[in-house]
Amino acid sequence: WMIIEGWSNKNEETPQTPTTPPAEGTPQRRGDFTRQEYERRQQLKIMEDLDKVLRQKPTTVRGVKKQRPKTVFRDDSVLSNSPVKGPKLYKEPSFKSNKFIIHNAITRCCLAGKVNEPQKNKIVEEMEKSTANHFLILFRDTSCQFRAVYTMNPETEEMVRLTGNGPRNITPEMVESIYKYSSDRKQFTVIPSKTMSMSVDAFTIPNHFWQKRPGTPKKLSTPK
């Protein structure tokens, strides 16, 4: 029998070469590529979101940077046109007054009682009229017998009689002892010094300044 080209037995099956199945657990190439692409895109998206967060302005105290102060330019022309203020006039320093202390010393210690009230009122009145800041009481001696009230010039330390009995003017060289008055104890305390200062409230002078000067004898009248 001749075998005609193109004819074959329909019942005969062409043998197929068996294909080897993929090993178990090994992904196919297309699926592996798809998963890697998905993971890469997810990572890119995460990095992009993180970059957006970092670019945002910080809201915490540490993240906020201190702004540099703006430079202010001063216009000298405005200052030159403004009027120049004159220097302040010299003002003499004001001394603390002891008027209240001396007032208490006279009222409660030196001239206390109804008997001395007229003399006390006269002295207080003279002190109120005076513009002095510092007052001093003159004692007769160490027994602290009141004699007069003086005012002191802080520059020359010379004392001038305001009211009472005593020399009209007293210099620092004439002072024998000085005293400080205590309002709480209502008494005078000797200060171990002879330097007059604004803390002195009373003083004494030597005894010979109290001696009266002998008067001049009267001229005898010539008989006519």
Side-chain angles (χ1 to χ4, degrees), residues 193-212:
S193 175
K194 291 186 178 181
T195 304
M196 299 299 297
S197 64
M198 303 303 292
S199 61
V200 178
D201 297 323
F203 67 100
T204 60
I205 55 177
N207 189 34
H208 62 270
F209 287 110
W210 292 103
Q211 295 178 358
K212 295 182 179 180

Side-chain angles (χ1 to χ4, degrees), residues 3-203:
I3 299 174
I4 301 174
E5 186 179 0
W7 290 88
S8 62
N9 191 2
K10 294 181 180 181
N11 295 327
E12 296 179 356
E13 294 180 358
T14 304
Q16 296 180 358
T17 305
T19 58
T20 305
E24 186 178 357
T26 305
Q28 298 181 359
R29 294 182 62 186
R30 184 175 180 82
D32 190 13
F33 174 77
T34 304
R35 187 175 62 181
Q36 291 179 359
E37 182 67 18
Y38 175 77
E39 292 178 355
R40 187 180 66 84
R41 291 182 180 180
Q42 287 294 109
Q43 188 176 5
L44 290 175
K45 184 178 179 182
I46 294 174
M47 293 178 65
E48 185 179 355
D49 294 340
L50 181 61
D51 185 59
K52 290 180 181 180
V53 174
L54 294 176
R55 289 182 180 180
Q56 292 179 358
K57 293 183 178 181
T59 57
T60 59
V61 178
R62 292 183 178 180
V64 178
K65 294 182 179 180
K66 294 183 180 180
Q67 297 182 356
R68 297 179 61 185
K70 296 181 180 180
T71 305
V72 180
F73 297 95
R74 184 178 62 182
D75 190 359
D76 293 337
S77 61
V78 178
L79 296 177
S80 60
N81 295 331
S82 60
V84 180
K85 296 182 179 180
K88 294 183 180 180
L89 298 177
Y90 173 77
K91 185 179 180 180
E92 294 183 359
S94 57
F95 297 98
K96 185 178 179 180
S97 178
N98 69 336
K99 180 185 292 186
F100 183 74
I101 296 176
I102 299 301
H103 183 275
N104 288 342
I106 294 173
T107 304
R108 300 177 182 180
C109 182
C110 299
L111 299 176
K114 290 288 184 180
V115 180
N116 300 319
E117 189 171 355
Q119 184 182 3
K120 177 193 66 179
N121 293 337
K122 181 180 178 180
I123 294 173
V124 172
E125 183 180 356
E126 293 296 329
M127 289 178 60
E128 293 298 328
K129 293 179 182 179
S130 175
T131 58
N133 290 325
H134 197 73
F135 298 87
L136 294 164
I137 296 175
L138 174 62
F139 292 141
R140 174 62 179 84
D141 48 29
T142 56
S143 60
C144 297
Q145 297 176 1
F146 177 85
R147 285 294 179 266
V149 173
Y150 285 75
T151 60
M152 186 179 71
N153 188 342
E155 296 180 359
T156 61
E157 296 184 355
E158 184 180 5
M159 289 157 283
V160 180
R161 186 182 64 194
L162 178 65
T163 180
N165 300 323
R168 184 177 298 274
N169 296 314
I170 297 178
T171 60
E173 293 77 14
M174 299 170 58
V175 176
E176 183 178 29
S177 58
I178 56 179
Y179 298 83
K180 178 71 178 178
Y181 179 72
S182 174
S183 300
D184 298 333
R185 293 180 295 177
K186 299 179 182 180
Q187 65 180 10
F188 289 89
T189 305
V190 180
I191 301 176
S193 175
K194 291 186 178 181
T195 304
M196 299 299 297
S197 64
M198 303 303 292
S199 61
V200 178
D201 297 323
F203 67 100

